[in-house]
Amino acid sequence: MLTFEEKLEIIESFPQLQRKDVSLGRVNFHYPDSVMDKKTVVYHLHPNGNGFVYAGQLPAAATDDKGMVNIRDYSAEDLRSLITGSIRYLSNETGAPEKTTAEQAIIGDEQEERWIGPDDHVLILVHEDELWNVYSGLNLEAAFESYKEAEEYMKEEGFTRK
């Protein structure tokens, strides 16, 4: 688990966020350029290391009913990735990346994630019919029975969640 200071250092590395000190030593970080009413990205980061990041409807983020993710046990890489996703989500009026017609044909209404890798190559991970399928454009790259297997594959190949 990262310490409060380590989490602060990571969060403060995002210049687009503004720090707001709140009660009991807790800290919030706002994204003033949000195109949505929601502006808080980091909520109640506490000196004990607990805190929340707004994930909205980002795929594969276990959120509460307010769209927040508890970051108590997050690694540095996962925290950076979640904050980056939150800022992207709050930067887009629809709250989701635009999909090409080909991507829409593959994804439809299924749960999906975008992963970026070497040379900015994008793979799309789609949960469909109890499998986790990895697509490169219209081509099926791989299929996995669990999210964990798919995630391990993506990381081994040098990809990170967008």
Side-chain angles (χ1 to χ4, degrees):
M1 181 175 90
L2 298 171
T3 66
F4 175 73
E5 290 77 19
E6 291 168 327
K7 288 177 182 171
L8 266 181
E9 185 177 333
I10 291 167
I11 297 164
E12 288 175 339
S13 73
F14 290 88
Q16 58 272 60
L17 298 180
Q18 292 180 350
R19 180 180 174 147
K20 304 279 185 185
D21 292 333
V22 292
S23 63
L24 304 174
R26 297 174 299 186
V27 181
N28 290 348
F29 285 85
H30 296 257
Y31 178 52
D33 295 332
S34 175
V35 296
M36 300 179 190
D37 290 337
K38 182 73 175 167
K39 303 246 186 254
T40 304
V41 172
V42 179
Y43 179 72
H44 284 184
L45 180 63
H46 193 277
N48 70 9
N50 201 20
F52 301 88
V53 170
Y54 180 70
Q57 296 182 14
L58 293 174
T63 62
D64 64 13
D65 60 343
K66 294 180 183 176
M68 305 299 270
V69 175
N70 189 306
I71 59 167
R72 178 185 261 303
D73 297 323
Y74 265 52
S75 69
E77 178 184 334
D78 289 341
L79 181 57
R80 278 188 195 91
S81 177
L82 182 61
I83 292 170
T84 299
S86 179
I87 291 169
R88 281 192 185 131
Y89 182 83
L90 293 171
S91 297
N92 185 336
E93 289 183 25
T94 64
E98 293 295 321
K99 296 175 184 164
T100 65
T101 305
E103 289 172 342
Q104 187 59 40
I106 292 169
I107 299 164
D109 293 328
E110 302 297 331
Q111 180 182 356
E112 54 101 1
E113 289 182 359
R114 292 168 187 274
W115 290 68
I116 190 160
D119 301 322
D120 292 329
H121 185 75
V122 176
L123 293 179
I124 301 172
L125 179 61
V126 182
H127 187 222
E128 51 190 354
D129 298 326
E130 299 183 31
L131 290 176
W132 289 90
N133 295 325
V134 178
Y135 288 94
S136 176
L138 291 172
N139 299 320
L140 178 65
E141 290 283 320
F144 301 92
E145 291 183 358
S146 73
Y147 176 82
K148 183 175 175 142
E149 290 174 317
E151 182 181 43
E152 287 173 4
Y153 168 80
M154 297 294 234
K155 288 180 179 179
E156 286 172 6
E157 295 297 318
F159 284 79
T160 56
R161 238 184 325 264
K162 276 180 107 172

